[in-house]
Structure formats: C-alpha cells, structure tokens
Amino acid sequence: MLIQNASWITMNGAASTTVPVFRRLFVCRKPIRSAVLEVTCDGVYDAVLNGRRVGEFILAPGWTEYRKRLQVQSYDVKNLLKENNTLEITVANGWYRRTNAPWTGTQNPDEFLPPMCIAALRIAAEDGSEETILTDGVWEASQSTVTMSGIFYGEDVDMTREPVFAPAEVCDYPKSMLIPQEGPEVREQETVYPRTSFRTPRGEWVIDFGQNLTGYMVFDLEARAGEKLYLSTAEVLDRDGNFYTGNYRSARSKLQYICKEGRQRYKPRFTFFGFRYLRVDEAPEGFTAAQIHAVVLHSEMKRTGWLESSDPMLNQLFSNIVWSQKGNYLDIPTDCPQRDERYGWTGDGQIFCRTATLQYDVRQFFRKWLADVRAAQHDDGWVPEVVPSLTAYKPGGGAWSDAVTIIPWQLYQTYGDLSFLADMYDAMEKWIAYIPTVSTTEDLWTGCWTYGDWLALDAPPDYVPATIELSKRGYSSDDLVCSAFYANSVSIVIRAGRLLGKDVSAYEALHTRIVRAYRARFGSQLNTQTEKVLTLHFGLAEDPQALADALADQIRACGMKLQTGLVGTPYLLHELSRYGHTDVAWSLLLRREYPGWLYSVSKGATTVWEHWDGIKPDGTFWDDDMNSYNHYAYGSVADWVFGVACGIQPAEPGYARVKIAPHPDPRLNSLSAVLDTAHGRIRSFWKYTEGSIRYEIDTPVPAEIVLGGETHMVEKGRYLF
Ligand code: BGC
C-alpha cells in the first residue's frame, strides 16, 4: 500500500479530545486517468475533497484490534478532482479514544494518543505520468467545526467556528499494523421519518420515530448564526410517558448543534445513537418535526432470511429480531448500541450467531471480526470477553470465550465454507489448550471466572448474592456451564480437525475423558433448566430422553415459564423439540406474559430487550443500571423458528442438501420461512385448513422432507403436501 510511504500527522498542541481537520491544497493540470486515496486514522474520520464527501463508509476505519490491525480504506476519487483541489480529513475520537467510557480502565495507552491521520493519494494522468500526495509536514491542521465528539458522548458542533490552519506535525508512530479494508463498510441503510411528535407530561417536546434503531438524525433548517438545535436521544419513555435516558448510564448521547447563517443540513459525522425518541432541548424559532428524520446505519450485508406467521405479535417479534441484528452489526457484533458499552461481547456474539447467519449474509462481517479474535487472543490462549479487546478486560469464561470455536463452526454450517475453520483452527486449539492450565479439576473447567447463565431467572427467592455481579446471574453452576462449553469446544475442534485432515486422536481421547468426568461430577445435580439444556445440547447426558422429559416437567411445574438466561435460552426450544416436547417449546414461544418472547412485544417493543422484564408489567423499569432495549441475545430464538418450526436444516454444510422437517402447532394458523442459500432459495410454509394441514415446500437441492413421521426423498422443486 502506498500509504506505507506517508507519515502520520497530528495537530500541534491537540488534546486527545480535539477534533482536528487536516488539509492539503494541490493542483492537477493534466487530464486524469485514475486517482485513488488511501486513508486511515486513530479514531474515526471523514475525508472531503473539494467540498464532497469521499465514499460512503460511515465511521471509517471501523473498529479492529487497533494495535495489531488498523484498516486502510481506498477510494476512487477521480470524479471529485478539479484543477485546484482541497482535500480535508477530519479525525474524531470514535472507538479509539473512548471518552466517557467508564469501564475501559485508564491504563489504555491509546486513550492518550493525539488524533492522527495518515493518507496517500496517487493520481495517474492520461499521459502516463503519476503524482503522489502523502501526509507530511506540508499538510495543515486546524480545529474543526466539531468541537467535541465521542461514540458515547454524541457530538457538539459549532458551525460559526472558522478554521485557523497551521502546519501539521509529523508523528513517529508505527505503520506495521496497517492492513487493507477487510470488513463490509458501515453505510447509511434506510430512512425513518417521525411518526408523531408530542409534549410529555413534564412538558418536553419529543419526536417518536416508531422504531428503536441505530443510526443518527438528519435535519434541514434555516437559522441565524449562533442559534441552537440541541437534541437528546432515548429508547423508551417512562411509565408516565416522560423522556427517559437512565439506561444509557454515562453515555451522554446528545447532538448539540450551533447553527451557521442561512440554510443548512446536518447529520452527526463521527458518532451514532441507539434511539427511538428524540427530545428537542432547544431549537431555532419555527423548527418542526417535519425538518428531521432518522437514518439507520449498519454494516453492509444482504438479507437472506424472512419469517412470517399468521400472528401479528409473532411477526413483531420477528421484526424486532431483525432490527436488533441491524442495530448491533455496526462494524462489530455488539451487545447493545446505546449505553456506555457497545462492545464486541464474545458471548452475545456466539449466542446470536446462528440466527444472524440465517437473516443476513454475514460472511465478510465475521471474517473480519474473527481475524480480530485471533489478534486479540493472548499468547497463552485466552480469548478476551470483548473483541476488539480493551486493556482492562479479562478472559471471557465459559460461553463467552468459546465464541472462538462456536462462531466459525456455525459459519461453516450455514455457508459450507471450510476456510472459516481453516483460518480459526490454530486459535481454537490454543483456546482448548488454555483451559486445563487454569482449571482446578482435571478434564473439567472449574474454579474460573465466568458470567454463568447470565441474567437467568432461576435463583430461589431466599438467595442472597454475595456481590452485585452475582445478582445478575442465575443459579446454574458456573463449573457446569464452563465444563459443558469446554466439552463443546473440544468437540468442535475434533469435527473441524477431521474436515481439515488433522490428527485429532488426542482430542477424541480428551473428549471421552471430559464426558466421563462431567457425568461423574454433575450427572446427579442437573437442577436448573439451563443445566439440563446444556447437558442435552452438548451431548453430555447419560439418558437424554429422561433428562429432556424432566426439563419439560420442570417447565410445566413452574407455570410454563422459562427460567434460562443468555446461555441456556438459545438451546432451550431446540432441546425440547428434539426430544418430543415441541408443544412445550411452542407454549414458551407463544407466551405473552413475563417471562416470554411476546411479553416485550405486548409492551410495545420494536427491538429485542436485554431483560425479559426490561419494562415490568406495572410499567416500571427493571433497573437503570443494565437495561438495554436493543440486545439481540434472546433473539436467537429465530433459529428455532427457521430450523425447527419451519424445519429447514442443512443436511450438508451450506445447505448443499437439506432436510425439511417442520414442527407445526395448531395454536398458530400459518408460518413460513424463506432462506436464500448459496444453492438457491428454500421455502417452507405450513397452514392449518379445516382439520388438516397444508405444506408448501420449495427446495433448490435434493431434500429429505419429514412430515408427520413420514419421510419423502425429493429432487429440487416445489412440493405441496
Ligand atoms: C453485556 C452483556 C454481556 C455481559 C457480560 C453486559 O453488560 O451487555 O450482554 O455479555 O455484560 O456478562
């Protein structure tokens, strides 16, 4: 890359929170054949050439394991060039310097780096001559009109501020981590217009977009210089209908804009928000809600899966799951897009991964993130709980760090592409080699930090947790959760290794020992729903049918309620239906009361909530502390709807052959799933009609169709039963 010849530059005297604009003026006299701009920064940037934004990548260069991998973007800028040119690159904090992020620890050296950029422009003329412009001491720098910006902070803008350029300063900073762009770009995806605007009981002027989304607001206005448009964001209103931002914690999430004179249009340049509502805190005279709209941002990815049923509430749930994926696939897979977190939590990433691969083509998205997982993995094998990692963070423990095995395996299942396994095999091996070095029990994973079955509901009423952390998790044994995931990761390494032609005999022997040790240690203590579910799902049960029956009985006995948290929930319905309890699985899915998937829908949710009772039946909140309304983990239930309720399963990885075995339930009149695979479109539809049931199945490849216990082997085609 030409950029290796350029120098990092910064603004003289810039604080780590300054948002500088770097400028280079140059002349092009000859007719141009091609012009390519390479650029990156330690933050997020936008590049503007002759007043026009370069490219469509929002929040470039994205978020990677920066000290090892920093993406460089290449833009074709031929059509933006003129004879006299001004190239401007503005650099804001972005994810690099996470101002206003309380949890990141102060020991992160990146937090103290000044804002820097590096760029190279290669211009080839028609006559064969070439000119290169590299960032160096010829460039100039000034404060920009963005006076303060941060991912959690939002943006402060003063359009009356005039730039004062002075020579930029060349910095001695490494370039070894520069890599070409790998991930799909984050781009503007769709527009959402205000649905209503109203006064709250407290007198606040609030605009409702009708959809919780991730992105930003865009407004057009005519104003006098110095007039202000100040906006705050929120996901929900409180019980009284007032604007509520408590769940953002320390994320300020405001746009504070000081107008220039005349007509103007603005959208934040270096941040994003998770919101449904805007509060207009101050506005120029005459400003109306019609002058503002919202723009949805996420990584470029093609939609591949659709669900639709005869139940509007279920359809809303399906929509919420899609919106939570859109909202949390913004360059990396995040837990939530709004509070002072928005991290690449490995656990959430693996929990939702199967659903994600069905709803969208996420190959490129995960190829980049998994490269960051490899880069973030420590030499002794541990995988951080969040990727990209933060210095203050630690190993993720069972179900979190196991993303290193689970995600590539799932990508292989959905897309049939062995390279996901080949790329990750060493990292997987390193991970399972690490576990015995910290475990307190041979052939199990015990005595280590883990989040357990995070947010589960099964603690007995008299349980008094020793710490606040413990109060947020269920009652499943941490050692069981970790050991079950250890067994699963070893099993994935075995299966992946066989496909890659590796000798896996030592892992096979290890897996046999783990299963034996697991049964001896936990076999008689499978108490919680999650303990049973994990034991079933990872093939660790001695008598799976009896255990599944006990699980179904336990759910019935507690009033047909699930009690599982982040870790147990994704597999719960699968294990019920695998062992003949599909009716219980359906009861859980269709339950409208807390706890259940349709409860949040009954409360008006437009995205998936972090807590089953993020808003309680009486309208109060679960808590301020950890209450996201856009948290996809429980949305993982969509993979049961695709794979079991509609029954679309890959009989061979990548759906090269399929098994279609729907599990209908008369409480729902009809259900359909459409899935675009590399081999074409699969559709599975069922509908109850006067005492019988009609199935419509489209398969682009040979399929085994299983209906009511009968198997039909068919070639590709459309079938009615
Ligand atoms: C996140 C979770 C994450 C968890 C770790 C939370 O704050 O939002 O979804 O996995 O921490 O337990």
Side-chain angles (χ1 to χ4, degrees):
M1 287 184 294
L2 183 63
I3 203 167
Q4 288 290 349
N5 300 336
S7 304
W8 283 99
I9 55 171
T10 188
M11 180 182 136
N12 216 322
S16 63
T17 49
T18 305
V19 182
V21 51
F22 300 97
R23 180 175 80 171
R24 177 73 153 79
L25 309 178
F26 59 97
V27 178
C28 284
R29 292 223 164 77
K30 298 177 180 171
I32 294 158
R33 180 157 40 91
S34 69
V36 175
L37 173 67
E38 294 174 4
V39 50
T40 194
C41 74
D42 67 338
V44 289
Y45 73 86
D46 64 19
V48 173
L49 183 51
N50 299 323
R52 287 169 63 193
R53 192 183 198 279
V54 174
E56 293 174 65
F57 191 164
I58 310 293
L59 301 167
W63 194 5
T64 44
E65 192 68 18
Y66 286 136
R67 241 130 359 119
K68 295 186 177 159
R69 293 160 38 80
L70 175 57
Q71 298 181 120
V72 174
Q73 292 68 51
S74 295
Y75 304 99
D76 176 355
V77 293
K78 181 182 164 197
N79 294 333
L80 299 179
L81 286 173
K82 297 177 178 170
E83 190 174 327
N84 291 304
N85 297 283
T86 307
L87 174 60
E88 291 170 309
I89 300 170
T90 306
V91 178
N93 292 326
W95 294 284
Y96 223 105
R97 285 172 299 282
R98 291 171 298 272
T99 49
N100 209 27
W103 295 11
T104 54
T106 46
Q107 68 271 51
N108 183 355
D110 291 349
E111 306 269 325
F112 304 109
L113 284 177
M116 298 182 285
C117 83
I118 184 165
L121 173 60
R122 189 198 302 265
I123 303 171
E126 292 285 10
D127 67 7
S129 63
E130 216 174 74
E131 193 192 343
T132 56
I133 293 170
L134 307 173
T135 40
D136 57 19
V138 177
W139 286 59
E140 301 166 294
S142 164
Q143 301 234 18
S144 70
T145 50
V146 177
T147 52
M148 177 74 186
S149 172
I151 293 291
F152 303 133
Y153 180 84
E155 207 157 286
D156 292 347
V157 186
D158 182 353
M159 295 302 287
T160 65
R161 191 194 253 192
E162 292 293 336
V164 183
F165 281 99
E169 194 182 312
V170 171
C171 319
D172 182 22
Y173 192 65
K175 291 181 255 179
S176 52
M177 73 300 215
L178 299 182
I179 54 163
Q181 175 70 24
E182 283 182 359
E185 294 185 356
V186 174
R187 289 196 185 170
E188 295 189 349
Q189 303 288 342
E190 56 195 290
T191 301
V192 181
Y193 293 96
R195 184 183 284 179
T196 54
S197 110
F198 52 88
R199 291 272 163 197
T200 67
R202 228 185 261 138
E204 305 150 306
W205 176 14
V206 169
I207 298 170
D208 177 8
F209 288 93
Q211 173 63 54
N212 197 22
L213 59 87
T214 301
Y216 45 51
M217 58 303 263
V218 183
F219 54 81
D220 291 284
L221 44 78
E222 170 120 42
R224 308 301 312 266
E227 283 191 296
K228 291 170 179 158
L229 182 62
Y230 282 8
L231 301 167
S232 299
T233 66
E235 284 189 291
V236 291
L237 303 177
D238 71 13
R239 178 163 59 163
D240 304 320
N242 289 313
F243 200 71
Y244 167 77
T245 56
N247 71 323
Y248 285 166
R249 300 195 303 217
S250 71
R252 191 193 73 146
S253 290
K254 289 175 190 281
L255 174 66
Q256 301 203 326
Y257 177 85
I258 301 175
C259 305
K260 61 184 176 188
E261 189 73 25
R263 286 221 142 272
Q264 50 214 289
R265 159 175 274 232
Y266 193 81
K267 53 191 177 188
R269 291 161 64 189
F270 306 113
T271 193
F272 65 93
F273 306 94
F275 68 105
R276 169 176 168 165
Y277 300 96
L278 289 183
R279 184 180 62 202
V280 183
D281 298 318
E282 190 169 343
E285 229 2 77
F287 181 77
T288 70
Q291 288 166 264
I292 197 158
H293 62 267
V295 169
V296 176
L297 296 178
H298 57 78
S299 293
E300 288 273 285
M301 46 188 187
K302 196 166 159 270
R303 184 85 183 264
T304 53
W306 295 264
L307 297 172
E308 200 180 340
S309 79
S310 51
D311 178 353
M313 285 184 80
L314 207 49
N315 290 343
Q316 184 64 50
L317 174 69
F318 299 154
S319 165
N320 296 359
I321 297 170
V322 169
W323 274 98
S324 281
Q325 179 166 359
K326 294 198 278 196
N328 284 291
Y329 275 34
L330 195 152
D331 209 53
I332 62 158
T334 53
D335 56 337
C336 55
Q338 75 298 74
R339 67 174 175 232
D340 52 358
E341 207 154 348
R342 314 186 197 184
Y343 295 144
W345 278 100
T346 46
D348 306 54
Q350 68 84 0
I351 287 163
F352 189 70
C353 174
R354 194 186 317 180
T355 288
T357 64
L358 301 176
Q359 298 191 138
Y360 284 91
D361 181 347
V362 291
R363 283 175 289 181
Q364 204 192 339
F365 179 81
F366 271 115
R367 213 178 274 290
K368 170 217 172 223
W369 187 75
L370 287 173
D372 288 306
V373 171
R374 294 198 296 274
Q377 185 173 32
H378 285 230
D379 289 342
D380 59 4
W382 68 266
V383 175
E385 55 191 356
V386 295
V387 174
S389 65
L390 311 167
T391 356
Y393 275 57
K394 52 188 184 306
W400 268 254
S401 297
D402 295 286
V404 70
T405 57
I406 295 172
I407 294 179
W409 182 252
Q410 184 55 51
L411 293 165
Y412 171 63
Q413 293 305 311
T414 303
Y415 301 117
D417 182 346
L418 258 187
S419 70
F420 286 110
L421 299 178
D423 291 349
M424 292 302 287
Y425 193 71
D426 289 350
M428 296 183 191
E429 277 190 302
K430 259 169 80 180
W431 167 238
I432 59 167
Y434 162 79
I435 293 170
T437 68
V438 289
S439 172
T440 53
T441 313
E442 211 176 340
D443 299 328
L444 292 176
W445 182 7
T446 62
C448 293
W449 163 257
T450 172
Y451 289 100
D453 186 24
W454 189 244
L455 305 186
L457 304 172
D458 45 20
D462 55 349
Y463 167 62
V464 183
T467 63
I468 291 194
E469 278 296 273
L470 285 177
S471 72
K472 291 180 188 153
R473 48 167 80 202
Y475 211 56
S476 294
S477 146
D478 286 352
D479 287 345
L480 181 148
V481 169
C482 284
S483 296
F485 275 89
Y486 178 32
N488 180 52
S489 280
V490 172
S491 158
I492 289 174
V493 172
I494 294 169
R495 284 173 279 164
R498 283 185 196 137
L499 289 161
L500 297 169
K502 311 271 183 189
D503 174 7
V504 292
S505 50
Y507 296 130
E508 288 167 339
L510 170 63
H511 190 259
T512 306
R513 294 199 306 274
I514 295 174
V515 176
R516 197 183 307 132
Y518 184 95
R519 287 176 178 168
R521 170 81 175 261
F522 305 112
S524 57
Q525 321 167 18
L526 299 169
N527 300 316
T528 66
Q529 293 180 8
T530 288
E531 288 170 347
K532 294 186 177 72
V533 167
L534 296 184
T535 304
L536 287 165
H537 195 73
F538 296 139
L540 301 166
E542 244 158 316
D543 182 348
Q545 187 60 55
L547 187 60
D549 294 347
L551 172 65
D553 287 344
Q554 183 176 12
I555 292 168
R556 282 192 210 97
C558 73
M560 211 46 110
K561 288 183 199 154
L562 58 73
Q563 303 287 291
T564 47
L566 256 62
V567 165
T569 302
Y571 312 129
L572 176 62
L573 303 196
H574 287 282
E575 294 318 307
L576 287 167
S577 47
R578 193 188 318 278
Y579 294 101
H581 300 290
T582 305
D583 57 324
V584 178
W586 272 110
S587 296
L588 294 177
L589 180 64
L590 296 176
R591 191 181 153 86
R592 291 170 185 221
E593 301 80 33
Y594 162 80
W597 280 275
L598 298 186
Y599 170 73
S600 64
V601 173
S602 79
K603 288 284 176 189
T606 57
T607 37
V608 181
W609 293 355
E610 179 171 25
H611 295 270
W612 296 112
D613 56 346
I615 298 174
K616 296 185 179 190
D618 67 1
T620 58
F621 296 124
W622 183 84
D623 197 77
D624 271 359
D625 173 45
M626 215 189 68
N627 200 3
S628 151
Y629 295 98
N630 197 353
H631 226 78
Y632 53 44
Y634 292 145
S636 56
V637 73
D639 72 48
W640 183 83
V641 182
F642 278 102
V644 181
C646 285
I648 303 175
Q649 292 286 344
E652 269 174 34
Y655 297 86
R657 281 187 336 104
V658 291
K659 176 172 179 181
I660 301 178
H663 286 60
D665 187 280
R667 283 169 283 181
L668 193 64
N669 182 257
S670 69
L671 181 65
S672 88
V674 172
L675 187 64
D676 282 342
T677 71
H679 303 276
R681 175 165 288 191
I682 304 170
R683 176 170 173 266
S684 170
F685 168 80
W686 49 256
K687 184 176 170 62
Y688 283 90
T689 42
E690 284 155 36
S692 80
I693 179 161
R694 172 192 172 89
Y695 295 96
E696 294 174 18
I697 289 168
D698 290 4
T699 172
V701 291
E704 176 188 347
I705 299 177
V706 185
L707 303 172
E710 252 180 63
T711 300
H712 312 260
M713 302 302 291
V714 300
E715 289 305 308
K716 68 174 184 179
R718 166 165 296 186
Y719 299 92
L720 287 185
F721 296 92

